[in-house]
Amino acid sequence: KVGVSDLCDGTNNVFYVGTDAHIHQMVWTQVTSWRLVDLTQITGAPVAAGTSLTGHTTNHSKEVFYVGKDQHIHEIWAYDSCGGIAAGSWQKNDISASSKNGAPNASSGSALTGFFVTDGSNTFDAVLYIDASNNVQQLQKSNVDLPTNVWNNVDVTTMAGAAKTAVNKLVAFLQPGFVGYEQIYFLDANSHVWQATAAPFFADQNTLSWSSM
């Protein structure tokens, strides 16, 4: 499960995978209190494989990501009325299939993590997962990369020269105090902690020199 507080529309949100493999939302507002929404049912999105979820708010939307039974990374999202965009209904998107350069299938039970960042004008949205060959993959979109705001895949393990993962655990974030540096951490087969990093952040990450240690 994952929790998201959306200051734009004043909601608290908890998302989880139910025993029916549907993505469910528990949402709270001062007007309605808590209520339950079956996002899989209302969007017609594919059912989930496993219980891994990640999600966050962007500058104008809420997003939830999960692994489908087709081993693709799926997104359920909705505009939340920020950024001058009217709030809208929940939508579905297969971001593995829609990525401009294709994305490998996720491993069974893959961990998921992700984040969104903006400096007020530039935006960057990222979702990370472990593929079937135990490489860390990053699906990303930005208004800086061309074509803008289109999902693109980066094989972090290959580009950073890092070891393959051994367990389904991932952490990714911006390095504190260094806006523009992305940090990714995972464990290898010897239970050693690996770090992959790239900077500057607001740039085409396919052209950057990823490094690992």
Side-chain angles (χ1 to χ4, degrees):
K1 56 184 176 293
V2 63
V4 174
S5 182
D6 192 335
L7 299 179
C8 181
D9 62 10
T11 62
N12 291 327
N13 305 267
V14 178
F15 302 95
Y16 66 95
V17 180
T19 55
D20 55 1
H22 286 199
I23 309 302
H24 295 272
Q25 174 197 25
M26 294 179 65
V27 56
W28 177 92
T29 70
Q30 288 185 328
V31 175
T32 63
S33 190
W34 287 101
R35 59 190 177 91
L36 184 63
V37 182
D38 185 333
L39 297 179
T40 300
Q41 183 179 59
I42 65 175
T43 61
V47 296
T51 59
S52 294
L53 283 177
T54 190
H56 45 252
T57 58
T58 73
N59 54 334
H60 54 62
S61 66
K62 288 186 286 289
E63 304 175 330
V64 183
F65 303 91
Y66 66 98
V67 180
K69 289 189 179 297
D70 56 3
Q71 295 180 281
H72 286 195
I73 307 301
H74 293 270
E75 171 191 25
I76 298 178
W77 65 276
Y79 288 124
D80 60 8
S81 76
C82 278
I85 301 175
S89 58
W90 287 98
Q91 308 290 324
K92 64 177 179 178
N93 185 22
D94 182 338
I95 65 174
S96 293
S98 64
S99 63
K100 69 180 183 182
N101 60 339
N105 284 347
S107 64
S108 177
S110 171
L112 291 173
T113 189
F115 57 87
F116 172 84
V117 65
T118 180
D119 64 0
S121 57
N122 298 310
T123 61
F124 194 92
D125 202 350
V127 181
L128 295 99
Y129 67 97
I130 300 169
D131 71 15
S133 62
N134 292 326
N135 282 10
V136 176
Q137 302 287 340
Q138 176 165 293
L139 281 158
Q140 60 188 50
K141 67 176 180 178
S142 171
N143 65 355
V144 177
D145 291 348
L146 293 176
T148 59
N149 295 316
V150 173
W151 289 102
N152 175 46
N153 189 69
V154 173
D155 186 330
V156 174
T157 298
T158 298
M159 295 191 71
K164 292 182 178 293
T165 62
V167 295
N168 286 321
K169 295 183 183 297
L170 279 176
V171 177
F173 55 87
L174 295 186
Q175 184 175 347
F178 293 89
V179 175
Y181 289 76
E182 180 183 357
Q183 305 290 326
I184 302 169
Y185 295 90
F186 57 93
L187 295 176
D188 68 13
N190 296 314
S191 297
H192 291 179
V193 178
W194 280 76
Q195 175 196 47
T197 184
F201 195 70
F202 288 118
D204 182 354
Q205 294 202 359
N206 283 298
T207 66
L208 296 182
S209 178
W210 278 85
S211 61
S212 63
M213 60 183 296

